[in-house]
């Protein structure tokens, strides 16, 4: 009888130990895949093996708020769009609103507003106040990017397409294009990082002020709701605006 009791107590003790171990074990993190353009500083880029940048920090803060872990997948911009539209990732950024984007995803934001501008060489006499001022120019753009509807559709000037802003910027320096179009912060970052700020200038009038969004594929509505709630909280408490201010140049 005593032997049987000792066996039962030993079994109970082992069960209690197992329960304590399970209770103390960390909960497995929920991972979300996040697509963004490989090199788009200061918004998203890799530094010392870690994804960073203004928009990356905003996305990471929102993920932390809802208790999920971001698995970043940097890729060329056309691949970001394709992966999002084919439901291969949980989140992608950065988009602006359009009928196509609203049809294919749940837009979260806007979490910032960016200026789309024209950059020219410092000795250029080009002035821009309206689209007609660009007639006959060669303007560098990035393949797959959308700028403004008027700019994108205009036949007045030649769009010289490239694989990245870096390529467009170097073409500008070499005189192969008259101007390049792009985000203000991106072009300023490029000029500074290349040590060529004195060689270029930004035209005063922007092409547009563009609100930016992250997007969750249409079939992942539950995740979009969670991310939207995190966005609203972090926008309200100033976290998002503080990240933007810390990165602006």
């Amino acid at each position: 009888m005593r032997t049987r009791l000792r066996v039962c107590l030993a079994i109970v003790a082992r069960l209690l130990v197992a329960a304590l171990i399970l209770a103390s074990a960390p909960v497995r993190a929920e991972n979300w895949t996040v697509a963004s353009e490989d090199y788009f500083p200061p918004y998203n880029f890799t530094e010392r093996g870690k994804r960073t940048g203004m928009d990356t920090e905003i996305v990471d803060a929102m993920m932390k708020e809802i208790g999920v872990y971001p698995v970043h997948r940097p890729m060329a911009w056309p691949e970001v769009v394709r992966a999002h539209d084919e439901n291969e990732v949980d989140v992608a950024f950065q988009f602006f609103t359009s009928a196509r984007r609203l049809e294919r995803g749940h837009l979260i934001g806007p979490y910032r507003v960016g200026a789309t501008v024209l950059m020219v060489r410092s000795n250029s006499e080009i002035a821009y106040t309206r689209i007609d001022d660009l007639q006959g120019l060669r303007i560098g753009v990035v393949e797959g990017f959308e700028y403004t509807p008027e700019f994108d559709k205009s036949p007045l000037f030649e769009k010289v397409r490239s694989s990245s802003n870096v390529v467009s910027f170097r073409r500008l320096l070499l005189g192969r294009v008259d101007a390049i179009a792009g985000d203000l912060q991106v072009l300023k970052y490029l000029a500074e990082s290349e040590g060529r700020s004195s060689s270029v200038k930004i035209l005063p009038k922007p092409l547009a002020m563009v609100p930016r969004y992250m997007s969750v594929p249409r079939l992942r509505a539950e995740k979009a709701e969670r991310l939207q709630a995190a966005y609203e909280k972090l926008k309200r408490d100033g976290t998002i605006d503080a990240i933007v201010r810390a990165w602006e140049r």
Side-chain angles (χ1 to χ4, degrees):
M1 186 72 178
R2 288 179 182 176
T3 301
R4 215 177 275 172
L5 181 60
R6 282 198 298 271
V7 171
C8 288
L9 289 172
I11 292 171
V12 170
R14 284 198 293 270
L15 289 172
L16 286 172
V17 169
L20 287 170
I21 290 172
L22 287 172
S24 62
V27 177
R28 186 175 179 181
E30 181 183 356
N31 296 335
W32 286 16
T33 53
V34 181
S36 63
E37 188 179 359
D38 182 23
Y39 188 72
F40 196 59
Y43 299 120
N44 30 285
F45 60 105
T46 301
E47 187 173 67
R48 291 189 285 275
K50 183 180 184 298
R51 291 298 282 173
T52 188
M54 182 195 296
D55 290 7
T56 304
E57 283 192 12
I58 292 171
V59 171
D60 286 354
M62 291 168 59
M63 298 278 185
K64 183 177 180 181
E65 178 65 27
I66 57 178
V68 302
Y69 181 80
V71 178
H72 290 283
R73 288 178 55 188
M75 55 187 77
W77 180 249
E79 278 299 298
V80 173
V81 177
R82 186 201 61 77
H84 171 278
D85 291 354
E86 295 183 11
N87 196 35
E88 293 178 0
V89 296
D90 295 301
V91 183
F93 66 95
Q94 50 276 81
F95 294 100
F96 63 82
T97 186
S98 68
R100 181 182 178 86
R101 289 297 105 218
L102 291 169
E103 176 188 341
R104 301 199 172 197
H106 304 273
L107 296 182
I108 312 297
Y111 56 87
R112 67 172 172 84
V113 176
T116 300
V117 298
L118 292 170
M119 174 181 274
V120 297
R121 289 180 293 281
S122 56
N123 60 356
S124 172
E125 296 182 0
I126 294 171
Y128 167 72
T129 56
R130 56 181 187 161
I131 203 73
D132 292 355
D133 296 331
L134 306 180
Q135 185 164 2
L137 299 181
R138 288 167 54 83
I139 300 180
V141 298
V142 177
E143 185 70 41
F145 278 24
E146 296 174 277
Y147 294 88
T148 73
E150 183 183 40
F151 180 90
D152 294 340
K153 294 175 183 177
S154 177
L156 295 174
F157 52 88
E158 180 184 354
K159 299 176 186 71
V160 181
R161 304 186 187 280
S162 68
S163 59
S164 70
N165 282 294
V166 174
V167 174
S168 289
F169 180 73
R170 290 176 181 166
R171 283 178 176 167
L172 177 66
L173 294 177
L174 291 170
R176 294 176 182 169
V177 293
D178 302 300
I180 59 175
D183 179 272
L184 172 65
Q185 298 296 325
V186 171
L187 297 185
K188 287 173 69 175
Y189 186 99
L190 265 175
E192 291 173 16
S193 63
E194 299 264 341
R196 301 300 299 269
S197 295
S198 62
S199 301
V200 294
K201 62 184 178 182
I202 303 286
L203 297 186
K205 180 179 172 63
L207 292 171
M209 298 300 295
V210 184
R212 294 291 180 172
Y213 298 79
M214 60 198 71
S215 185
V216 176
R218 179 56 56 184
L219 295 177
R220 307 192 188 208
E222 185 269 339
K223 290 184 176 181
E225 290 175 6
R226 293 166 65 188
L227 203 61
Q228 179 67 31
Y231 161 75
E232 290 173 2
K233 179 179 183 299
L234 298 187
K235 188 67 176 175
R236 188 168 56 246
D237 69 18
T239 299
I240 291 174
D241 291 340
I243 294 171
V244 171
R245 286 194 300 272
W247 279 92
E248 282 183 334
R249 291 173 177 262

